[in-house]
């Protein structure tokens, strides 16, 4: 599936194309540059842009396919949300470490870095 060709055929910008799929323009840029497109994203594209695709590439209106694509999408979202929480916790720990280092520097040098 040539995403750039499809996007141009639809007349959408990368941002607009991504928004229709719930993706960022950066994701669309990566896909257009050749990054692997997940099965769930391929299904969403085949569903959302069916009228622009050849008959053999369209996603049939099989509710099972749509439900499977949405389920995979929700699972992807859950994994991303977990990663965001992990990163936020790491940032909080790093800030705490930074504050402790500043306190130690002040204690031993008498100078404040902030």
């Amino acid at each position: 599936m040539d995403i750039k060709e499809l996007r141009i055929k639809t007349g959408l910008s990368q941002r607009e194309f991504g928004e229709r799929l719930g993706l960022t323009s950066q994701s669309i840029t990566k896909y257009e540059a050749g990054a692997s497109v997940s099965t769930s994203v391929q299904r969403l594209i085949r569903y959302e842009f069916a009228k622009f695709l050849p008959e053999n590439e369209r996603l049939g209106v099989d509710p099972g396919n749509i439900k499977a694509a949405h389920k995979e999408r929700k699972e992807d979202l859950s994994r991303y949300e977990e990663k965001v929480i992990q990163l936020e916790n790491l940032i909080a720990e790093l800030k705490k470490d930074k504050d402790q280092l500043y306190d130690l520097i002040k204690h031993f040098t008498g100078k404040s870095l902030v």
Side-chain angles (χ1 to χ4, degrees):
M1 174 181 297
D2 186 337
I3 293 195
K4 184 173 185 176
E5 181 181 314
L6 176 60
R7 181 183 58 78
I8 290 169
K9 191 184 287 188
T10 64
L12 299 173
S13 69
Q14 288 179 332
R15 182 187 56 77
E16 293 166 330
F17 191 85
E19 284 176 355
R20 294 264 304 259
L21 299 169
L23 301 170
T24 63
S25 60
Q26 291 87 351
S27 294
I28 303 305
T29 301
K30 288 189 324 192
Y31 294 146
E32 288 183 0
S36 178
V37 182
S38 71
T39 304
S40 60
V41 171
Q42 288 180 26
R43 286 181 183 155
L44 287 170
I45 290 170
R46 286 186 173 121
Y47 177 74
E48 183 67 28
F49 298 105
K51 69 180 181 181
F52 296 98
L53 295 170
E55 187 72 37
N56 64 331
E57 288 187 30
R58 294 180 186 170
L59 179 66
V61 187
D62 175 6
N65 285 342
I66 295 169
K67 286 180 182 177
H70 286 289
K71 181 181 178 202
E72 285 182 36
R73 190 73 195 276
K74 283 182 179 179
E75 290 169 356
D76 289 344
L77 182 59
S78 291
R79 282 193 296 275
Y80 293 135
E81 287 172 342
E82 288 173 18
K83 287 288 185 190
V84 167
I85 290 168
Q86 289 173 353
L87 289 171
E88 287 172 342
N89 290 338
L90 181 59
I91 289 169
E93 288 177 29
L94 290 170
K95 285 180 180 178
K96 197 182 307 180
D97 289 347
K98 178 191 80 165
D99 291 342
Q100 288 175 348
L101 285 171
Y102 283 178
D103 289 343
L104 284 171
I105 290 169
K106 185 176 181 180
H107 175 76
F108 287 109
T109 66
K111 297 180 182 177
S112 177
L113 295 178
V114 255

